[in-house]
Amino acid sequence: WSYFVVTFLLKTPIPLILLLIGGAVATLRSRPGALRVDSFLWLPPIIYGAAATGHGLNIGHRHLLPALPFLLVIAGRAAAGLWERPGRHAWKPVVLLLAAWYALSTVRIHPSYLAYFNGIAGGPANGPRYLVDSNLDWGQDLKRLKIYVEENGVGKILLSYLGSADPRYYGIPCDLLPGRMLPMPPDLTLVVRPGDLVAVSVTNLQGVYLPAPVRPLMERLKALTPVASIGYSILVYRADFTWSLPVEAARNLGWMPQAIESNEKAIRADPGFVEGYGNLGMAMHLLGRHSEAVAFFRQALALDPRYLDRRPGRLEAYRVSAATAP
């Protein structure tokens, strides 16, 4: 029930919140005739907000947009009331301060308006701790990622993207990690190696829509400091670790061909990649290609004699393939 309350408090400029509080106080203090007039402004957003809160459609602050025109009029009336308030206390500087604060928050977020979060949330860089998806990240920053790649001379980047566009349409030289793309591309890469430049949509970074076996990659990335932020919706990291999706998980996800291709490519780039041989050995075992499975497992053991000791499932697969192979 608190979803839209939280989104409103975190994504509404603080000066507007303060003016709405002022408007509410003014309404409560108004004469009965004025109260009837004010009800035409307050009732629509209150009724709509209650309906939104009770509906459970927790997929984006955008669903509060129909209430905003009423709230903006209320805030405008509150500002006008302060401006025209008589007496010794000077309220005009307060109105000017709130207006300047509001304008500055708009200028500072330009042009990444969707990613706006106020000071209560800690600003847009802190937004993904609270809200993602259409509150922040709707795949809008591919063009800016292209500019980043060009300006930094990046030859290849690994990209976990959320959106419905094709990153390659924009000329981004990338291999696609698992993400949230509609439709899901068939040519995924399932291996990350030290030194790889990895760009991740912040919704994917939080693991919201990703299958469970991919989330450990996101946890490893979150432990790093980003080297760049693209419009607040895409973060870029330099990997200092090795990650590969286990082929057992790849089979369950329907990504076995991608897993085989990814590990073969990784081994060509680094013949000492032990896990690559182990993944390929397990892949061949699952496909019933036992002779190839034994060969790959033995290559892994040649590089790390204790490799199978730490992986009892693969040790059993190696034994079965060795007993089955001609």
Side-chain angles (χ1 to χ4, degrees):
W1 69 267
S2 61
Y3 179 83
F4 285 112
V5 177
V6 172
T7 63
F8 183 82
L9 290 176
L10 298 186
K11 288 189 67 67
T12 302
I14 294 176
L16 178 56
I17 294 176
L18 295 175
L19 286 172
L20 289 172
I21 294 172
V25 172
T27 297
L28 293 174
R29 290 181 175 179
S30 62
R31 296 184 303 274
L35 182 59
R36 286 196 297 271
V37 173
D38 286 352
S39 66
F40 284 94
L41 288 174
W42 281 106
L43 284 177
I46 289 173
I47 294 172
Y48 183 86
T53 300
H55 190 276
L57 188 67
N58 299 343
I59 59 173
H61 177 261
R62 68 187 189 276
H63 291 283
L64 291 179
L65 290 178
L68 292 186
F70 299 93
L71 299 181
L72 291 170
V73 173
I74 292 169
R77 293 184 72 198
L82 290 174
W83 186 268
E84 297 167 356
R85 186 171 181 176
R88 294 179 302 148
H89 302 291
W91 286 95
K92 289 185 179 180
V94 174
V95 176
L96 291 173
L97 176 62
L98 291 173
W101 187 357
Y102 206 138
L104 180 61
S105 67
T106 303
V107 171
R108 290 183 63 184
I109 196 63
H110 174 81
S112 303
Y113 299 111
L114 182 62
Y116 176 81
F117 282 82
N118 62 26
I120 299 173
N126 219 29
R129 292 182 57 192
Y130 303 100
L131 299 165
V132 286
D133 202 280
S134 63
N135 299 294
L136 167 59
D137 169 25
W138 238 5
Q140 70 269 22
D141 282 318
L142 282 182
K143 291 182 180 179
R144 291 178 199 155
L145 180 62
K146 167 65 172 176
I147 293 171
Y148 171 83
V149 166
E150 289 181 339
E151 290 181 347
N152 290 274
V154 177
K156 180 73 71 174
I157 194 167
L158 303 183
L159 174 59
S160 175
Y161 176 63
L162 176 139
S164 57
D166 183 351
R168 291 157 186 164
Y169 173 83
Y170 294 95
I172 299 171
C174 64
D175 289 335
L176 295 174
L177 290 164
R180 172 74 169 177
M181 294 179 64
L182 300 173
M184 179 68 75
D187 52 339
L188 294 174
T189 185
L190 303 176
V191 175
V192 175
R193 300 284 290 148
D196 285 343
L197 201 62
V198 184
V200 188
S201 295
V202 292
T203 303
N204 294 338
L205 194 65
Q206 299 301 325
V208 176
Y209 298 116
L210 296 184
V214 180
R215 292 175 193 162
L217 168 61
M218 301 303 156
E219 294 302 317
R220 298 291 297 272
L221 290 171
K222 284 195 288 186
L224 303 177
T225 300
V227 299
S229 174
I230 313 299
Y232 300 105
S233 76
I234 297 176
L235 298 181
V236 181
Y237 297 89
R238 180 71 69 179
D240 63 357
F241 59 84
T242 296
W243 172 84
S244 62
L245 185 72
V247 293
E248 298 90 328
R251 178 188 62 173
N252 294 336
L253 292 167
W255 294 343
M256 182 68 88
Q258 294 90 330
I260 294 173
E261 182 178 353
S262 297
N263 283 281
E264 288 176 342
K265 183 177 179 180
I267 286 173
R268 287 195 295 269
D270 177 13
F273 181 33
V274 179
E275 191 63 25
Y277 292 108
N279 274 330
L280 288 173
M282 191 66 185
M284 297 303 110
H285 169 77
L286 293 173
L287 293 173
R289 294 157 59 176
H290 297 292
S291 296
E292 295 171 83
V294 170
F296 281 121
F297 278 132
R298 286 176 178 170
Q299 286 176 295
L301 289 170
L303 293 168
D304 179 4
R306 297 184 59 82
Y307 174 77
L308 292 177
D309 295 341
R310 299 187 297 271
R311 298 166 178 81
R314 295 193 173 186
L315 176 59
E316 179 63 22
Y318 172 58
R319 289 171 174 168
V320 171
S321 288
T324 307

